[in-house]
Amino acid sequence: GKREILIVTHFEHPYEITPEAMEELQNGGRANTIDNDATTVPMQFIALVAEATRESRYRKSFERGLDYLLEAQYENGGWPQFYPLRPDTYYSHITFNDNAMMNVMFLLRDVAAGKEPYSFVGADRVAQSAAAVSKGIELVLKTQLENDGVKTAWCAQYDEVSLEPAWARAYEPPSLSGSESVAIVRFLMEIEQPTPEQVAAIECAIAWFKDVAIHGFRYERGPDAKGIEDAAILADPDAGPLWARFYELGTNRPLFLGRDSVFRYSLEEIEQERRGGYNYYGTWAAPLLAKEADARVIRIMPLGDSITYDNRRKDMRPVGVRIAYRRTLHDLLRSAGYAFDFVGSENAGERYL
């Protein structure tokens, strides 16, 4: 509503790199960020209002946000958590954590494609958004980590110069992420005409998710008897798969760190404050794997005349030709292990044909 858009635009913050702005940052003042859905989600809301009202003030507000995202991108294609940069802190790392960079990528992708509600964006900014997305994809492919020469997943943050996995907070180590890697793969899967390199990145990541999935346990978070937040991993043969937030580089072992930054390999070993205050497990990859499984189903529409039609009853054709090629094709595909589905507006013969 009108009240909400006034609130959102009221908190729009300039990002000019001036001595005054840097002093404000150093003194703990307000800072522009893409963390925790900041900037991107307000921009989506402003775009909806701009598209609906056609008022220039909202269009200009969105364009200022877009210019900010484009300027904040590193030359190597990544985005820092905060911009203007905060030197010598993890805020300047390339940040996939909490989907910060991928939120930017999804927004710029839709701007570049002219999707609603971004149709009001001018041609120059559309072209700049497309170029930024291309650079971002290159960065994504460069930063997919390997175990023994096999590509796996991504770390939540990378050094902005070396592109090596990097520390963030004390309990967020260089590692493979069972959470942030999901949005990265989803973005790659939605590319309409992926390159062979992009397809390989997807397939390797999917294989990794399947390999490190944790079965037979459920994850519970909530207050204990004293009302203090806690969490536990409990045996449950009926539970769906889980993924750890952090997997150790080189071993794929789930990692758990408290504020002391010590690597531990079970949730109960870290302090209660962190157990109850951070998502160390989740079902993050489950929807992704379901989408991937559906995408791998081969859909076949048989075409032809009498050689396509199949009717095993009341068929006047000679016995040897009553079964059309569809049955033979069905059996061959099934024996080869393919997931497939015959589609079309009619059926004849067996119910699956």
mmCIF file of all heavy atoms in Angstrom, residues 112-158:
data_model
loop_
_atom_site.group_PDB
_atom_site.id
_atom_site.type_symbol
_atom_site.label_atom_id
_atom_site.label_comp_id
_atom_site.label_asym_id
_atom_site.label_seq_id
_atom_site.Cartn_x
_atom_site.Cartn_y
_atom_site.Cartn_z
ATOM 1 N N ALA A 112 17.335 -7.972 -17.175
ATOM 2 C CA ALA A 112 17.935 -8.143 -18.501
ATOM 3 C C ALA A 112 16.961 -8.785 -19.481
ATOM 4 O O ALA A 112 17.003 -8.502 -20.683
ATOM 5 C CB ALA A 112 19.205 -8.982 -18.396
ATOM 6 N N ALA A 113 16.074 -9.644 -18.974
ATOM 7 C CA ALA A 113 15.109 -10.327 -19.832
ATOM 8 C C ALA A 113 13.853 -9.494 -20.068
ATOM 9 O O ALA A 113 12.975 -9.918 -20.837
ATOM 10 C CB ALA A 113 14.729 -11.667 -19.223
ATOM 11 N N GLY A 114 13.758 -8.334 -19.412
ATOM 12 C CA GLY A 114 12.577 -7.494 -19.578
ATOM 13 C C GLY A 114 11.326 -8.067 -18.943
ATOM 14 O O GLY A 114 10.207 -7.737 -19.336
ATOM 15 N N LYS A 115 11.501 -8.928 -17.946
ATOM 16 C CA LYS A 115 10.351 -9.544 -17.298
ATOM 17 C C LYS A 115 9.606 -8.530 -16.437
ATOM 18 O O LYS A 115 10.172 -7.547 -15.961
ATOM 19 C CB LYS A 115 10.796 -10.730 -16.438
ATOM 20 C CG LYS A 115 11.321 -11.913 -17.236
ATOM 21 C CD LYS A 115 11.629 -13.089 -16.320
ATOM 22 C CE LYS A 115 12.094 -14.300 -17.112
ATOM 23 N NZ LYS A 115 12.398 -15.449 -16.223
ATOM 24 N N GLU A 116 8.317 -8.781 -16.217
ATOM 25 C CA GLU A 116 7.549 -7.963 -15.289
ATOM 26 C C GLU A 116 8.082 -8.199 -13.881
ATOM 27 O O GLU A 116 8.458 -9.324 -13.542
ATOM 28 C CB GLU A 116 6.061 -8.329 -15.361
ATOM 29 C CG GLU A 116 5.440 -8.119 -16.727
ATOM 30 C CD GLU A 116 5.373 -6.647 -17.133
ATOM 31 O OE1 GLU A 116 5.497 -5.778 -16.238
ATOM 32 O OE2 GLU A 116 5.221 -6.369 -18.325
ATOM 33 N N PRO A 117 8.149 -7.158 -13.052
ATOM 34 C CA PRO A 117 7.671 -5.791 -13.286
ATOM 35 C C PRO A 117 8.775 -4.822 -13.704
ATOM 36 O O PRO A 117 8.768 -3.667 -13.293
ATOM 37 C CB PRO A 117 7.137 -5.419 -11.911
ATOM 38 C CG PRO A 117 8.110 -6.075 -10.967
ATOM 39 C CD PRO A 117 8.539 -7.368 -11.637
ATOM 40 N N TYR A 118 9.727 -5.301 -14.522
ATOM 41 C CA TYR A 118 10.898 -4.481 -14.848
ATOM 42 C C TYR A 118 10.863 -3.937 -16.277
ATOM 43 O O TYR A 118 11.882 -3.490 -16.788
ATOM 44 C CB TYR A 118 12.173 -5.298 -14.643
ATOM 45 C CG TYR A 118 12.259 -5.955 -13.283
ATOM 46 C CD1 TYR A 118 12.236 -7.347 -13.139
ATOM 47 C CD2 TYR A 118 12.337 -5.183 -12.130
ATOM 48 C CE1 TYR A 118 12.310 -7.943 -11.901
ATOM 49 C CE2 TYR A 118 12.401 -5.782 -10.874
ATOM 50 C CZ TYR A 118 12.387 -7.160 -10.769
ATOM 51 O OH TYR A 118 12.453 -7.738 -9.536
ATOM 52 N N SER A 119 9.724 -3.964 -16.909
ATOM 53 C CA SER A 119 9.646 -3.551 -18.315
ATOM 54 C C SER A 119 9.918 -2.062 -18.514
ATOM 55 O O SER A 119 10.191 -1.629 -19.633
ATOM 56 C CB SER A 119 8.272 -3.905 -18.890
ATOM 57 O OG SER A 119 7.238 -3.257 -18.169
ATOM 58 N N PHE A 120 9.856 -1.285 -17.441
ATOM 59 C CA PHE A 120 10.099 0.159 -17.550
ATOM 60 C C PHE A 120 11.582 0.504 -17.594
ATOM 61 O O PHE A 120 11.955 1.643 -17.861
ATOM 62 C CB PHE A 120 9.444 0.895 -16.370
ATOM 63 C CG PHE A 120 9.983 0.497 -15.028
ATOM 64 C CD1 PHE A 120 11.123 1.098 -14.506
ATOM 65 C CD2 PHE A 120 9.355 -0.487 -14.271
ATOM 66 C CE1 PHE A 120 11.633 0.738 -13.275
ATOM 67 C CE2 PHE A 120 9.856 -0.871 -13.034
ATOM 68 C CZ PHE A 120 10.995 -0.247 -12.535
ATOM 69 N N VAL A 121 12.460 -0.462 -17.322
ATOM 70 C CA VAL A 121 13.893 -0.188 -17.279
ATOM 71 C C VAL A 121 14.403 0.082 -18.692
ATOM 72 O O VAL A 121 14.088 -0.653 -19.635
ATOM 73 C CB VAL A 121 14.653 -1.365 -16.639
ATOM 74 C CG1 VAL A 121 16.160 -1.089 -16.624
ATOM 75 C CG2 VAL A 121 14.144 -1.617 -15.224
ATOM 76 N N GLY A 122 15.213 1.125 -18.835
ATOM 77 C CA GLY A 122 15.712 1.526 -20.150
ATOM 78 C C GLY A 122 16.720 0.557 -20.739
ATOM 79 O O GLY A 122 17.318 -0.270 -20.035
ATOM 80 N N ALA A 123 16.943 0.705 -22.047
ATOM 81 C CA ALA A 123 17.792 -0.235 -22.785
ATOM 82 C C ALA A 123 19.223 -0.265 -22.264
ATOM 83 O O ALA A 123 19.849 -1.336 -22.216
ATOM 84 C CB ALA A 123 17.776 0.116 -24.269
ATOM 85 N N ASP A 124 19.781 0.884 -21.879
ATOM 86 C CA ASP A 124 21.165 0.920 -21.398
ATOM 87 C C ASP A 124 21.325 0.094 -20.134
ATOM 88 O O ASP A 124 22.272 -0.701 -20.010
ATOM 89 C CB ASP A 124 21.608 2.356 -21.148
ATOM 90 C CG ASP A 124 21.840 3.128 -22.440
ATOM 91 O OD1 ASP A 124 21.905 2.478 -23.504
ATOM 92 O OD2 ASP A 124 21.952 4.368 -22.379
ATOM 93 N N ARG A 125 20.404 0.261 -19.202
ATOM 94 C CA ARG A 125 20.501 -0.489 -17.947
ATOM 95 C C ARG A 125 20.193 -1.969 -18.162
ATOM 96 O O ARG A 125 20.744 -2.827 -17.461
ATOM 97 C CB ARG A 125 19.571 0.119 -16.899
ATOM 98 C CG ARG A 125 20.048 1.467 -16.339
ATOM 99 C CD ARG A 125 19.167 1.929 -15.185
ATOM 100 N NE ARG A 125 19.702 3.107 -14.524
ATOM 101 C CZ ARG A 125 19.409 4.368 -14.867
ATOM 102 N NH1 ARG A 125 18.583 4.593 -15.905
ATOM 103 N NH2 ARG A 125 19.924 5.381 -14.201
ATOM 104 N N VAL A 126 19.325 -2.273 -19.104
ATOM 105 C CA VAL A 126 19.059 -3.669 -19.435
ATOM 106 C C VAL A 126 20.338 -4.331 -19.945
ATOM 107 O O VAL A 126 20.689 -5.445 -19.533
ATOM 108 C CB VAL A 126 17.938 -3.772 -20.491
ATOM 109 C CG1 VAL A 126 17.892 -5.172 -21.102
ATOM 110 C CG2 VAL A 126 16.588 -3.437 -19.861
ATOM 111 N N ALA A 127 21.052 -3.656 -20.838
ATOM 112 C CA ALA A 127 22.300 -4.196 -21.378
ATOM 113 C C ALA A 127 23.349 -4.349 -20.279
ATOM 114 O O ALA A 127 24.079 -5.351 -20.239
ATOM 115 C CB ALA A 127 22.818 -3.296 -22.494
ATOM 116 N N GLN A 128 23.444 -3.373 -19.393
ATOM 117 C CA GLN A 128 24.401 -3.451 -18.290
ATOM 118 C C GLN A 128 24.060 -4.613 -17.364
ATOM 119 O O GLN A 128 24.949 -5.314 -16.864
ATOM 120 C CB GLN A 128 24.407 -2.140 -17.512
ATOM 121 C CG GLN A 128 24.979 -0.955 -18.277
ATOM 122 C CD GLN A 128 24.792 0.349 -17.528
ATOM 123 O OE1 GLN A 128 24.817 0.393 -16.291
ATOM 124 N NE2 GLN A 128 24.576 1.430 -18.261
ATOM 125 N N SER A 129 22.776 -4.836 -17.130
ATOM 126 C CA SER A 129 22.352 -5.951 -16.272
ATOM 127 C C SER A 129 22.718 -7.282 -16.900
ATOM 128 O O SER A 129 23.199 -8.198 -16.216
ATOM 129 C CB SER A 129 20.842 -5.877 -16.023
ATOM 130 O OG SER A 129 20.490 -4.692 -15.348
ATOM 131 N N ALA A 130 22.518 -7.406 -18.217
ATOM 132 C CA ALA A 130 22.869 -8.646 -18.907
ATOM 133 C C ALA A 130 24.363 -8.912 -18.822
ATOM 134 O O ALA A 130 24.797 -10.056 -18.590
ATOM 135 C CB ALA A 130 22.417 -8.569 -20.369
ATOM 136 N N ALA A 131 25.161 -7.868 -18.989
ATOM 137 C CA ALA A 131 26.616 -8.030 -18.901
ATOM 138 C C ALA A 131 27.032 -8.431 -17.492
ATOM 139 O O ALA A 131 27.924 -9.276 -17.308
ATOM 140 C CB ALA A 131 27.309 -6.733 -19.321
ATOM 141 N N ALA A 132 26.389 -7.844 -16.483
ATOM 142 C CA ALA A 132 26.710 -8.183 -15.095
ATOM 143 C C ALA A 132 26.371 -9.636 -14.794
ATOM 144 O O ALA A 132 27.120 -10.334 -14.093
ATOM 145 C CB ALA A 132 25.960 -7.250 -14.149
ATOM 146 N N VAL A 133 25.251 -10.112 -15.306
ATOM 147 C CA VAL A 133 24.868 -11.507 -15.100
ATOM 148 C C VAL A 133 25.885 -12.441 -15.758
ATOM 149 O O VAL A 133 26.283 -13.455 -15.162
ATOM 150 C CB VAL A 133 23.451 -11.761 -15.656
ATOM 151 C CG1 VAL A 133 23.141 -13.261 -15.675
ATOM 152 C CG2 VAL A 133 22.419 -11.028 -14.809
ATOM 153 N N SER A 134 26.323 -12.114 -16.945
ATOM 154 C CA SER A 134 27.317 -12.951 -17.634
ATOM 155 C C SER A 134 28.601 -13.045 -16.823
ATOM 156 O O SER A 134 29.186 -14.135 -16.670
ATOM 157 C CB SER A 134 27.615 -12.379 -19.022
ATOM 158 O OG SER A 134 26.471 -12.463 -19.860
ATOM 159 N N LYS A 135 29.058 -11.915 -16.292
ATOM 160 C CA LYS A 135 30.258 -11.925 -15.456
ATOM 161 C C LYS A 135 30.020 -12.733 -14.185
ATOM 162 O O LYS A 135 30.907 -13.460 -13.714
ATOM 163 C CB LYS A 135 30.667 -10.495 -15.101
ATOM 164 C CG LYS A 135 31.262 -9.709 -16.255
ATOM 165 C CD LYS A 135 31.426 -8.234 -15.917
ATOM 166 C CE LYS A 135 32.339 -8.001 -14.743
ATOM 167 N NZ LYS A 135 32.555 -6.553 -14.492
ATOM 168 N N GLY A 136 28.821 -12.616 -13.623
ATOM 169 C CA GLY A 136 28.499 -13.369 -12.420
ATOM 170 C C GLY A 136 28.518 -14.867 -12.667
ATOM 171 O O GLY A 136 29.000 -15.635 -11.827
ATOM 172 N N ILE A 137 27.999 -15.299 -13.804
ATOM 173 C CA ILE A 137 28.008 -16.727 -14.135
ATOM 174 C C ILE A 137 29.438 -17.236 -14.282
ATOM 175 O O ILE A 137 29.779 -18.337 -13.818
ATOM 176 C CB ILE A 137 27.194 -16.990 -15.415
ATOM 177 C CG1 ILE A 137 25.709 -16.719 -15.163
ATOM 178 C CG2 ILE A 137 27.400 -18.419 -15.906
ATOM 179 C CD1 ILE A 137 24.846 -16.785 -16.406
ATOM 180 N N GLU A 138 30.294 -16.444 -14.909
ATOM 181 C CA GLU A 138 31.698 -16.835 -15.037
ATOM 182 C C GLU A 138 32.327 -17.032 -13.664
ATOM 183 O O GLU A 138 33.089 -17.981 -13.438
ATOM 184 C CB GLU A 138 32.466 -15.769 -15.817
ATOM 185 C CG GLU A 138 32.102 -15.692 -17.300
ATOM 186 C CD GLU A 138 32.851 -14.586 -18.021
ATOM 187 O OE1 GLU A 138 33.780 -14.012 -17.419
ATOM 188 O OE2 GLU A 138 32.510 -14.294 -19.183
ATOM 189 N N LEU A 139 32.006 -16.129 -12.741
ATOM 190 C CA LEU A 139 32.534 -16.234 -11.380
ATOM 191 C C LEU A 139 32.011 -17.494 -10.690
ATOM 192 O O LEU A 139 32.771 -18.220 -10.030
ATOM 193 C CB LEU A 139 32.151 -14.975 -10.594
ATOM 194 C CG LEU A 139 32.637 -14.756 -9.153
ATOM 195 C CD1 LEU A 139 31.867 -15.536 -8.125
ATOM 196 C CD2 LEU A 139 34.127 -15.048 -9.028
ATOM 197 N N VAL A 140 30.742 -17.781 -10.871
ATOM 198 C CA VAL A 140 30.140 -18.979 -10.280
ATOM 199 C C VAL A 140 30.866 -20.233 -10.764
ATOM 200 O O VAL A 140 31.207 -21.120 -9.975
ATOM 201 C CB VAL A 140 28.635 -19.048 -10.631
ATOM 202 C CG1 VAL A 140 28.088 -20.451 -10.408
ATOM 203 C CG2 VAL A 140 27.849 -18.046 -9.800
ATOM 204 N N LEU A 141 31.127 -20.310 -12.040
ATOM 205 C CA LEU A 141 31.804 -21.493 -12.587
ATOM 206 C C LEU A 141 33.238 -21.603 -12.082
ATOM 207 O O LEU A 141 33.729 -22.707 -11.819
ATOM 208 C CB LEU A 141 31.777 -21.444 -14.114
ATOM 209 C CG LEU A 141 30.380 -21.497 -14.760
ATOM 210 C CD1 LEU A 141 30.491 -21.353 -16.269
ATOM 211 C CD2 LEU A 141 29.653 -22.785 -14.399
ATOM 212 N N LYS A 142 33.914 -20.464 -11.934
ATOM 213 C CA LYS A 142 35.295 -20.475 -11.445
ATOM 214 C C LYS A 142 35.393 -20.926 -9.996
ATOM 215 O O LYS A 142 36.405 -21.504 -9.587
ATOM 216 C CB LYS A 142 35.907 -19.079 -11.567
ATOM 217 C CG LYS A 142 36.257 -18.640 -12.970
ATOM 218 C CD LYS A 142 36.827 -17.234 -12.955
ATOM 219 C CE LYS A 142 37.134 -16.731 -14.361
ATOM 220 N NZ LYS A 142 37.620 -15.321 -14.342
ATOM 221 N N THR A 143 34.362 -20.652 -9.211
ATOM 222 C CA THR A 143 34.451 -20.891 -7.765
ATOM 223 C C THR A 143 33.845 -22.214 -7.326
ATOM 224 O O THR A 143 33.835 -22.513 -6.128
ATOM 225 C CB THR A 143 33.785 -19.744 -6.989
ATOM 226 O OG1 THR A 143 32.445 -19.532 -7.485
ATOM 227 C CG2 THR A 143 34.582 -18.455 -7.133
ATOM 228 N N GLN A 144 33.335 -23.026 -8.265
ATOM 229 C CA GLN A 144 32.867 -24.357 -7.873
ATOM 230 C C GLN A 144 34.064 -25.180 -7.422
ATOM 231 O O GLN A 144 35.043 -25.342 -8.156
ATOM 232 C CB GLN A 144 32.149 -25.037 -9.042
ATOM 233 C CG GLN A 144 31.474 -26.346 -8.642
ATOM 234 C CD GLN A 144 30.634 -26.925 -9.774
ATOM 235 O OE1 GLN A 144 30.781 -26.545 -10.935
ATOM 236 N NE2 GLN A 144 29.751 -27.858 -9.441
ATOM 237 N N LEU A 145 34.009 -25.689 -6.213
ATOM 238 C CA LEU A 145 35.150 -26.353 -5.597
ATOM 239 C C LEU A 145 35.239 -27.821 -6.014
ATOM 240 O O LEU A 145 34.245 -28.428 -6.424
ATOM 241 C CB LEU A 145 35.046 -26.244 -4.076
ATOM 242 C CG LEU A 145 35.090 -24.798 -3.553
ATOM 243 C CD1 LEU A 145 34.768 -24.760 -2.066
ATOM 244 C CD2 LEU A 145 36.456 -24.181 -3.812
ATOM 245 N N GLU A 146 36.427 -28.373 -5.887
ATOM 246 C CA GLU A 146 36.680 -29.754 -6.282
ATOM 247 C C GLU A 146 37.174 -30.571 -5.095
ATOM 248 O O GLU A 146 37.870 -30.064 -4.218
ATOM 249 C CB GLU A 146 37.723 -29.808 -7.399
ATOM 250 C CG GLU A 146 37.291 -29.167 -8.699
ATOM 251 C CD GLU A 146 38.325 -29.322 -9.806
ATOM 252 O OE1 GLU A 146 39.379 -29.948 -9.532
ATOM 253 O OE2 GLU A 146 38.093 -28.849 -10.938
ATOM 254 N N ASN A 147 36.808 -31.849 -5.095
ATOM 255 C CA ASN A 147 37.392 -32.857 -4.208
ATOM 256 C C ASN A 147 38.017 -33.924 -5.092
ATOM 257 O O ASN A 147 37.308 -34.546 -5.903
ATOM 258 C CB ASN A 147 36.325 -33.493 -3.311
ATOM 259 C CG ASN A 147 36.050 -32.667 -2.072
ATOM 260 O OD1 ASN A 147 36.804 -31.749 -1.741
ATOM 261 N ND2 ASN A 147 34.957 -32.981 -1.385
ATOM 262 N N ASP A 148 39.318 -34.100 -4.984
ATOM 263 C CA ASP A 148 40.040 -35.097 -5.791
ATOM 264 C C ASP A 148 39.746 -34.940 -7.277
ATOM 265 O O ASP A 148 39.518 -35.915 -7.998
ATOM 266 C CB ASP A 148 39.658 -36.513 -5.339
ATOM 267 C CG ASP A 148 40.118 -36.807 -3.922
ATOM 268 O OD1 ASP A 148 41.167 -36.264 -3.518
ATOM 269 O OD2 ASP A 148 39.427 -37.565 -3.212
ATOM 270 N N GLY A 149 39.736 -33.680 -7.737
ATOM 271 C CA GLY A 149 39.552 -33.415 -9.151
ATOM 272 C C GLY A 149 38.121 -33.447 -9.638
ATOM 273 O O GLY A 149 37.862 -33.233 -10.824
ATOM 274 N N VAL A 150 37.167 -33.702 -8.736
ATOM 275 C CA VAL A 150 35.748 -33.756 -9.111
ATOM 276 C C VAL A 150 35.048 -32.516 -8.572
ATOM 277 O O VAL A 150 35.137 -32.216 -7.378
ATOM 278 C CB VAL A 150 35.076 -35.023 -8.549
ATOM 279 C CG1 VAL A 150 33.585 -35.030 -8.909
ATOM 280 C CG2 VAL A 150 35.771 -36.270 -9.069
ATOM 281 N N LYS A 151 34.350 -31.806 -9.433
ATOM 282 C CA LYS A 151 33.637 -30.612 -9.001
ATOM 283 C C LYS A 151 32.507 -30.986 -8.054
ATOM 284 O O LYS A 151 31.838 -32.008 -8.235
ATOM 285 C CB LYS A 151 33.090 -29.842 -10.207
ATOM 286 C CG LYS A 151 34.187 -29.162 -11.039
ATOM 287 C CD LYS A 151 33.606 -28.286 -12.124
ATOM 288 C CE LYS A 151 34.704 -27.594 -12.927
ATOM 289 N NZ LYS A 151 35.499 -26.670 -12.102
ATOM 290 N N THR A 152 32.295 -30.137 -7.047
ATOM 291 C CA THR A 152 31.291 -30.447 -6.025
ATOM 292 C C THR A 152 30.308 -29.278 -5.894
ATOM 293 O O THR A 152 29.397 -29.134 -6.685
ATOM 294 C CB THR A 152 31.979 -30.733 -4.684
ATOM 295 O OG1 THR A 152 32.810 -29.601 -4.315
ATOM 296 C CG2 THR A 152 32.849 -31.976 -4.766
ATOM 297 N N ALA A 153 30.525 -28.422 -4.892
ATOM 298 C CA ALA A 153 29.597 -27.337 -4.596
ATOM 299 C C ALA A 153 30.384 -26.051 -4.348
ATOM 300 O O ALA A 153 31.495 -25.885 -4.844
ATOM 301 C CB ALA A 153 28.724 -27.713 -3.400
ATOM 302 N N TRP A 154 29.823 -25.147 -3.550
ATOM 303 C CA TRP A 154 30.418 -23.834 -3.357
ATOM 304 C C TRP A 154 30.559 -23.506 -1.878
ATOM 305 O O TRP A 154 29.803 -24.005 -1.030
ATOM 306 C CB TRP A 154 29.537 -22.752 -4.011
ATOM 307 C CG TRP A 154 29.597 -22.761 -5.503
ATOM 308 C CD1 TRP A 154 30.367 -21.969 -6.308
ATOM 309 C CD2 TRP A 154 28.865 -23.614 -6.392
ATOM 310 N NE1 TRP A 154 30.161 -22.277 -7.639
ATOM 311 C CE2 TRP A 154 29.242 -23.281 -7.718
ATOM 312 C CE3 TRP A 154 27.919 -24.632 -6.202
ATOM 313 C CZ2 TRP A 154 28.707 -23.919 -8.830
ATOM 314 C CZ3 TRP A 154 27.385 -25.279 -7.315
ATOM 315 C CH2 TRP A 154 27.791 -24.915 -8.613
ATOM 316 N N CYS A 155 31.524 -22.667 -1.583
ATOM 317 C CA CYS A 155 31.674 -22.107 -0.241
ATOM 318 C C CYS A 155 30.711 -20.923 -0.109
ATOM 319 O O CYS A 155 30.271 -20.347 -1.115
ATOM 320 C CB CYS A 155 33.115 -21.659 -0.020
ATOM 321 S SG CYS A 155 33.454 -21.030 1.656
ATOM 322 N N ALA A 156 30.397 -20.539 1.108
ATOM 323 C CA ALA A 156 29.475 -19.419 1.319
ATOM 324 C C ALA A 156 30.134 -18.073 1.058
ATOM 325 O O ALA A 156 29.432 -17.086 0.806
ATOM 326 C CB ALA A 156 28.914 -19.459 2.741
ATOM 327 N N GLN A 157 31.457 -18.011 1.121
ATOM 328 C CA GLN A 157 32.138 -16.755 0.818
ATOM 329 C C GLN A 157 33.556 -17.051 0.315
ATOM 330 O O GLN A 157 34.151 -18.066 0.657
ATOM 331 C CB GLN A 157 32.200 -15.815 2.021
ATOM 332 C CG GLN A 157 32.775 -16.410 3.282
ATOM 333 C CD GLN A 157 31.776 -17.221 4.068
ATOM 334 O OE1 GLN A 157 30.619 -16.850 4.191
ATOM 335 N NE2 GLN A 157 32.223 -18.347 4.610
ATOM 336 N N TYR A 158 34.055 -16.123 -0.519
ATOM 337 C CA TYR A 158 35.370 -16.278 -1.138
ATOM 338 C C TYR A 158 36.161 -14.994 -1.002
ATOM 339 O O TYR A 158 35.587 -13.890 -1.029
ATOM 340 C CB TYR A 158 35.228 -16.595 -2.636
ATOM 341 C CG TYR A 158 34.660 -17.954 -2.939
ATOM 342 C CD1 TYR A 158 33.287 -18.172 -2.884
ATOM 343 C CD2 TYR A 158 35.486 -19.027 -3.284
ATOM 344 C CE1 TYR A 158 32.753 -19.419 -3.173
ATOM 345 C CE2 TYR A 158 34.958 -20.267 -3.575
ATOM 346 C CZ TYR A 158 33.584 -20.469 -3.515
ATOM 347 O OH TYR A 158 33.056 -21.695 -3.795
#
